[in-house]
Amino acid sequence: MNCRILALLLAVLLTLAACSPKAPVSGASAPEPPAPSAGSPAPEPEPLPEPEPDNSWTVDAPENHRMDPAVLEDLHRVLPASPISAMVIVRDGVLVDEYYAGDYDENTVFEIHSCSKSFTGALVGIAIDQGYLGGVEDPLSRYLPQVEELPGTKRELTLRHLLTQTSGLEWYEWGGGYSNWQEFRSAGNWVEYILGRDQAAQPGQLFNYSTGNTHLLAAALEAATGKPLLEYGKENLFDPLGMETITWGTDPQGIADGGNGVVISARDAARFGQLYLQGGVWKGEQLVPADWVAESTLVQNPGPGGSTGQYGYQWWIRPYGVNAFGTYQAPHGAAQYDAYHAFGAWGQYIFVVPELELVTVITCVGPHDSYAARPYFTDYVLAACIPEEA
């Protein structure tokens, strides 16, 4: 009996062992997951992150871009005695030369004063394209309702009048003599101060340069977009351009100082000039509408007369000749080129010369003659450009 019981128990134990799961053999492959049934979709692969755009400048020798290095060497010999703090030269979209005085370098930021107006003008064009602003003929009162309560023809003010410096509001900023600049800057409310000026001429009748006009544009932009101008600019222009250094001052109410407040490096300012040279396109993306770039750099009125030029939408327009203002003997002969430029007090410039595919930024630390830096552009930078037939 005992033997039969033991044999029965052994058979039961062997049966249980056969039914239990087996541990994997060391080194054996893991079992394959079951294949998806016919018609079931394959799992989606994880999306790859978008590559960061490369907005760094390409740097190359000037002689590779039809610029005479000997002329640029002469330029560098005379620049230390000039009022210029930084100069960046870009041709064919490539940085071919730059200069910094003293301890300044490519990371230094500069107050570019009224060059800021051209930045504000670009944002107006973007806001029109996006539908925040209706167009240049829009009344200012649509965005600043307090204008409706003003006397006389102030209610007729349009965005075009502000863009072209023809608001007719009494203002003393251009030329010598009395200036209301400090009065404006020390006012507790800049917008109220500007709108409170007398109406000296019918809107659209006369050019009278006024940072107040551009400040009203900035106030209208912020009211229309519901965002600070710097934030709106970063989203739509400055970040896509790779402008990492830009800051923008504000008035006592926090409205961007549209006509005077930009602080930026010379290299980043050159990006802005290059963008306009390229018709508002950067890295294949249309940042500023092409028609706005064209209208802004087209003569809209004759300006104040004199050598500064005519006026578009917050840009100056005039031809520049080689050796126009100095005595440097250009080795490649005289020539004249159509150009446009942003211009700020004490010698801040962003020159754009489409025919030459040339952008030149000049910054100066003032105060001094605002025109003192121009001969270094005409007599050296333009002179360094080798004509096609040479």
Side-chain angles (χ1 to χ4, degrees), residues 1 23-24 38 50 65-66 78 93 107 119 123 145 147 154 158 169 171 178 195 234 238 268 288 297 314 337 350 382:
M1 279 297 286
E50 287 287 329
H65 298 274
R66 299 188 61 78
V78 299
N107 298 311
F119 288 69
L123 296 178
V147 175
K154 291 180 184 179
T158 67
L169 293 171
W171 203 266
Y178 167 74
L195 293 175
K234 280 180 170 289
F238 309 141
D268 275 357
V288 181
T297 57
Q314 307 289 293
Y337 305 98
I350 305 173
L382 289 184

Side-chain angles (χ1 to χ4, degrees), residues 15-63:
T15 302
L16 288 173
C19 295
S20 64
K22 294 179 174 61
V25 178
S26 177
S29 300
E32 291 291 329
S37 60
S40 62
E44 290 287 333
E46 287 293 322
L48 295 174
E50 287 287 329
E52 288 292 321
D54 182 8
N55 285 308
S56 58
W57 280 112
T58 300
V59 180
D60 198 6
E63 56 266 31

Side-chain angles (χ1 to χ4, degrees), residues 29-241:
S29 300
E32 291 291 329
S37 60
S40 62
E44 290 287 333
E46 287 293 322
L48 295 174
E50 287 287 329
E52 288 292 321
D54 182 8
N55 285 308
S56 58
W57 280 112
T58 300
V59 180
D60 198 6
E63 56 266 31
N64 294 334
H65 298 274
R66 299 188 61 78
M67 295 199 76
D68 189 335
V71 177
L72 295 178
E73 288 173 10
D74 290 341
L75 171 64
H76 280 259
R77 276 194 286 270
V78 299
L79 280 173
S82 78
I84 293 173
S85 52
M87 179 183 279
V88 171
I89 303 171
V90 176
R91 193 165 193 200
D92 304 330
V94 174
L95 198 157
V96 296
D97 190 79
E98 62 187 328
Y99 162 84
Y100 297 98
D103 294 331
Y104 301 133
D105 61 24
E106 66 270 18
N107 298 311
T108 305
V109 295
F110 301 95
E111 296 178 356
I112 59 171
H113 301 300
S114 285
C115 287
S116 308
K117 293 177 171 67
S118 302
F119 288 69
T120 299
L123 296 178
V124 169
I126 294 171
I128 290 173
D129 186 60
Q130 293 179 346
Y132 290 109
L133 302 174
V136 297
E137 305 303 341
D138 276 7
L140 178 61
S141 59
R142 181 174 296 177
Y143 309 103
L144 302 181
Q146 64 266 44
V147 175
E148 281 287 359
E149 309 301 320
L150 299 176
T153 57
K154 291 180 184 179
R155 294 191 294 270
E156 299 174 13
L157 288 172
T158 67
L159 301 184
R160 181 188 292 276
H161 297 141
L162 304 176
L163 285 163
T164 58
Q165 302 286 10
T166 58
S167 70
L169 293 171
E170 183 184 30
W171 203 266
Y172 302 97
E173 186 176 342
W174 192 262
Y178 167 74
S179 168
N180 64 306
W181 177 261
Q182 291 302 328
E183 188 177 282
F184 159 52
R185 304 297 280 190
S186 60
N189 187 309
W190 292 7
V191 171
E192 286 184 2
Y193 174 85
I194 299 160
L195 293 175
R197 303 296 292 174
D198 290 340
Q199 192 71 36
Q202 284 288 109
Q205 186 178 40
L206 295 173
F207 178 94
N208 183 28
Y209 186 85
S210 165
T211 295
N213 289 333
T214 315
H215 194 66
L216 292 179
L217 282 174
L221 272 167
E222 293 195 355
T225 63
K227 296 177 180 180
L229 201 57
L230 181 59
E231 179 184 338
Y232 181 69
K234 280 180 170 289
E235 291 174 0
N236 295 283
L237 187 59
F238 309 141
D239 284 354
L241 277 174

Side-chain angles (χ1 to χ4, degrees), residues 2-14:
N2 288 341
C3 290
R4 292 176 63 189
I5 292 171
L6 286 172
L8 182 62
L9 287 173
L10 182 60
V12 170
L13 289 172
L14 289 171

